[in-house]
């Protein structure tokens, strides 16, 4: 079974600074998908960024980028120019490829606070 | 238009009661899911339906029974509610061939 580990329960960052959230995972699969989801206090789950394991290039979405290290099974999220609206729980998630019908396996989350 | 909707958003009930949570998606997706988020914020899959058929049923008490009347709806019925059932329940949907899941707003269930 796949497992996802987020070793930082809580983090804080000053507004406009950069922060990196860590995630490691365990799988015997060669192809899979990795995700970062954001859950603000509104509790809505919002997809931040996605990485396909077969792609070597790290995914980027505006201020959000990942450092995907397949051999090390590491998938960290970097948030640049942090904004107050980035304050949220962040979940790393894994999905086995099966035509997209498989569920997400989540880490326990990192609570990020952006401080003015 | 809301892509994935859940009703109710909040549900407070007493132990021993039976309750249902409804989920509807208007995205035309063929797969729907129920996830449970516990008090420590941990999210875990409960059930998954593809084209109205149950394809994943994690270790969940049989007091929980999902029902999918059609591809756009997946309801969750819970019998004999217990204190430990208090959680946020999320519905999600996805389409075969796409890896993005769209989540509903969640239903916060509180059992007293």
């Amino acid at each position: 079974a796949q497992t996802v580990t987020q070793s930082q329960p809580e983090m804080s960052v000053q507004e406009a600074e950069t922060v990196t959230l860590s995630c490691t995972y365990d799988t015997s699969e060669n192809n899979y998908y990795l995700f970062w989801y954001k859950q603000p206090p509104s509790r809505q789950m919002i997809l931040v960024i996605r990485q396909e394991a077969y792609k070597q290039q790290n995914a980027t979405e505006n201020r959000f980028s990942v450092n995907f290290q397949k051999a090390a099974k590491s998938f960290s999220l970097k948030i640049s120019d942090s904004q107050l609206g980035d304050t949220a729980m962040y979940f790393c998630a894994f999905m086995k490829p099966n035509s997209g019908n498989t569920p997400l396996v989540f880490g326990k989350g990192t609570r990020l606070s952006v401080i003015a | 238009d809301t892509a994935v909707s859940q009703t109710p958003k909040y549900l407070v009930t007493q132990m021993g009661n039976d309750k249902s949570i409804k989920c509807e998606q208007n995205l035309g997706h063929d797969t729907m899911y129920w996830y449970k988020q516990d008090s420590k914020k941990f999210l875990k899959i409960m059930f998954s339906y593809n084209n109205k058929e149950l394809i994943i049923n994690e270790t969940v008490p049989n007091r929980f029974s999902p029902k999918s009347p059609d591809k756009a709806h997946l309801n969750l019925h819970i019998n004999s509610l217990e204190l430990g059932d208090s959680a946020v329940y999320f519905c999600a949907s996805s389409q075969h061939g796409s890896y993005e899941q769209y989540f509903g707003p969640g239903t916060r269930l509180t059992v007293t």
Side-chain angles (χ1 to χ4, degrees):
Chain A
Q2 287 74 26
T3 57
V4 177
T5 302
Q6 293 178 250
S7 58
Q8 305 151 315
E10 292 189 26
M11 293 192 75
S12 61
V13 63
Q14 292 284 338
E15 202 175 2
E17 296 294 309
T18 296
V19 64
T20 299
L21 308 184
S22 301
C23 173
T24 58
Y25 57 93
D26 188 26
T27 183
S28 57
E29 304 282 342
N30 189 44
N31 291 322
Y32 46 86
Y33 290 75
L34 296 164
F35 305 85
W36 280 98
Y37 277 86
K38 171 185 177 181
Q39 186 179 40
S42 66
R43 130 178 136 222
Q44 180 68 49
M45 294 292 289
I46 301 165
L47 178 63
V48 175
I49 200 165
R50 181 183 88 190
Q51 176 81 40
E52 292 90 339
Y54 63 84
K55 289 187 178 177
Q56 291 190 341
Q57 188 171 5
N58 289 325
T60 62
E61 286 288 341
N62 301 314
R63 297 183 295 108
F64 298 88
S65 61
V66 298
N67 183 2
F68 173 49
Q69 302 287 331
K70 191 174 183 180
K73 296 181 182 173
S74 170
F75 183 61
S76 60
L77 175 69
K78 185 170 86 170
I79 307 174
S80 304
D81 185 25
S82 297
Q83 300 175 0
L84 295 177
D86 296 333
T87 293
M89 285 288 293
Y90 286 82
F91 293 95
C92 180
F94 173 99
M95 178 190 283
K96 275 196 314 186
N98 184 18
S99 303
N101 289 339
T102 55
L104 293 161
V105 176
F106 287 94
K108 294 196 172 186
T110 296
R111 185 180 300 279
L112 177 67
S113 298
V114 180
I115 303 163
Chain B
D1 276 348
T2 304
V4 183
S5 59
Q6 292 180 228
T7 52
K9 288 200 170 66
Y10 297 92
L11 183 54
V12 180
T13 188
Q14 291 185 327
M15 281 175 56
N17 285 349
D18 302 338
K19 290 292 178 185
S20 291
I21 306 171
K22 295 186 176 181
C23 177
E24 177 181 1
Q25 54 94 3
N26 62 6
L27 299 167
H29 289 168
D30 59 6
T31 305
M32 297 183 74
Y33 311 82
W34 278 112
Y35 290 88
K36 178 181 179 180
Q37 185 173 40
D38 63 21
S39 58
K40 296 185 178 177
K41 301 289 190 183
F42 184 51
L43 274 152
K44 190 173 179 185
I45 184 69
M46 299 175 70
F47 301 103
S48 172
Y49 268 76
N50 177 253
N51 285 320
K52 303 194 302 174
E53 289 195 21
L54 181 66
I55 56 173
I56 290 174
N57 182 356
E58 290 293 314
T59 308
V60 175
N62 57 16
R63 298 182 294 103
F64 290 79
S65 52
K67 273 213 173 89
S68 182
D70 55 56
K71 281 200 315 182
H73 296 84
L74 180 61
N75 304 323
L76 183 65
H77 188 76
I78 316 170
N79 289 327
S80 304
L81 278 154
E82 300 178 357
L83 293 176
D85 298 332
S86 294
V88 178
Y89 292 84
F90 284 96
C91 178
S93 71
S94 68
Q95 178 60 33
H96 180 94
S98 170
Y99 299 94
E100 183 166 353
Q101 293 189 12
Y102 292 78
F103 282 80
T107 296
R108 179 177 293 282
L109 171 66
T110 303
V111 182
T112 62

